[in-house]
């Protein structure tokens, strides 16, 4: 079930800082109290394969997110201790040394289950006994939250599929344009391109003069 248009769940989760500090982070409060957008991205597991490429990609784009008043937060179901060990593992050893944004440690899967992004299923055998299947880790889910705590974007990739970080910058730019000008952003819109008014005449004029 989509959560777009709804408030982000009001729940505080353990997290780890780059310096090894144990934190408690509430995404809703991060957005509303600091009047900023939040990008929360979930990855399956520390010390794996696609995951470190994504964490480094978000780190490399961090100045661009900061320009857009957007806080980046990573998340998985690993513990703070495992996060810290990974943060202290060199990049050329598969680690994420150099990552500076906080990482949630949702070890009890409280938030991940509310969001419905955990790879888990419960089935029954012929005798009616319940048993669990699945990896019990999260998919590559991404949430963009605005300054009011509303989710304005969500996406979920299967585990082998890494994300395109630039697309989230584009989405933030588009949403900020909507907030500022009250216009809507057509397909493939990027900062500096024409947007439209939300009426038929504006759509017709746009289609007559633009090709995607």
């Amino acid at each position: 079930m989509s959560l777009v248009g709804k408030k982000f769940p009001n729940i505080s989760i353990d997290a780890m800082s780059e310096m090894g500090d144990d934190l408690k982070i509430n995404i809703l409060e991060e957005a509303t109290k600091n009047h900023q957008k939040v990008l929360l991205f979930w990855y399956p597991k520390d010390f794996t394969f696609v995951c470190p490429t994504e964490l480094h990609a978000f780190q490399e784009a961090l100045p661009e997110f900061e320009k857009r008043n957007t806080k980046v937060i990573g998340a998985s179901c690993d513990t703070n201790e495992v996060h810290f060990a990974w943060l202290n593992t060199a990049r050329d050893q598969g680690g994420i040394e150099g990552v500076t944004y906080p990482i949630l440690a949702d070890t009890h899967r409280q938030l991940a289950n509310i969001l419905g992004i955990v790879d888990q299923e419960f089935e029954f055998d012929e005798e009616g006994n319940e048993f669990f299947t699945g990896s019990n880790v999260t998919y590559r889910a991404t949430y963009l939250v605005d300054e009011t705590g509303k989710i304005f974007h969500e996406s979920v990739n299967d585990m082998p599929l890494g994300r395109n970080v630039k697309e989230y910058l584009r989405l933030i730019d588009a949403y900020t344009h909507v907030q500022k000008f009250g216009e809507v952003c057509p397909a493939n819109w990027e900062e500096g391109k024409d947007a439209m008014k939300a009426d038929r005449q504006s759509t017709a004029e746009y289609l007559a003069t633009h090709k995607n």
Side-chain angles (χ1 to χ4, degrees):
M1 181 179 69
S2 175
L3 296 176
V4 169
K6 299 180 175 64
K7 294 284 187 182
F8 197 88
N10 186 9
I11 181 172
S12 296
I13 300 295
D14 290 336
M16 172 57 59
S17 78
E18 61 171 314
M19 302 302 294
D21 298 318
D22 292 323
L23 309 173
K24 281 279 189 181
I25 293 180
N26 183 310
I27 300 298
L28 181 64
E29 291 181 356
E30 287 288 331
T32 56
K33 290 188 176 181
N34 297 317
H35 197 67
Q36 63 184 349
K37 294 180 176 67
V38 176
L39 183 149
L40 172 66
F41 74 97
W42 294 80
Y43 61 91
K45 205 171 183 182
D46 293 358
F47 291 100
T48 51
F49 318 110
V50 176
C51 298
T53 70
E54 291 193 309
L55 273 83
H56 285 297
F58 278 109
Q59 178 65 34
E60 289 161 11
L62 202 57
E64 291 300 320
F65 286 107
E66 290 172 349
K67 287 180 188 176
R68 293 160 173 80
N69 191 33
T70 301
K71 185 177 183 66
V72 173
I73 299 174
S76 80
C77 297
D78 296 281
T79 66
N80 270 352
E81 292 77 14
V82 176
H83 284 339
F84 191 54
W86 204 25
L87 283 162
N88 282 280
T89 301
R91 179 176 181 140
D92 62 6
Q93 297 296 315
I96 58 168
E97 185 178 33
V99 166
T100 60
Y101 50 81
I103 305 174
L104 299 188
D106 189 19
T107 54
H108 297 294
R109 293 157 177 76
Q110 292 172 293
L111 180 54
N113 278 320
I114 291 171
L115 297 172
I117 57 172
V118 182
D119 175 29
Q120 57 181 209
E121 292 184 14
F122 295 92
E123 300 178 4
F124 294 89
D125 61 21
E126 294 179 354
E127 298 178 351
N129 299 311
E130 186 180 56
F131 65 95
F132 170 83
T133 61
S135 66
N136 206 31
V137 298
T138 67
Y139 294 104
R140 299 187 192 281
T142 313
Y143 297 87
L144 292 175
V145 182
D146 73 10
E147 298 87 347
T148 71
K150 184 182 80 171
I151 298 169
F152 66 92
H153 169 84
E154 66 176 346
S155 59
V156 183
N157 290 6
D158 200 358
M159 295 175 192
L161 306 176
R163 282 162 279 217
N164 183 339
V165 173
K166 291 181 180 179
E167 172 63 4
Y168 301 108
L169 293 169
R170 189 194 73 84
L171 288 167
I172 292 168
D173 286 342
Y175 190 76
T176 301
H177 184 94
V178 173
Q179 289 176 309
K180 186 174 181 180
F181 297 104
E183 295 181 318
V184 294
C185 296
N188 299 323
W189 184 91
E190 294 177 344
E191 184 66 43
K193 291 187 176 182
D194 293 334
M196 308 183 301
K197 295 180 181 178
D199 58 47
R200 292 181 181 179
Q201 180 179 349
S202 182
T203 300
E205 291 172 354
Y206 181 89
L207 290 173
T209 56
H210 296 75
K211 290 185 178 180
N212 293 328

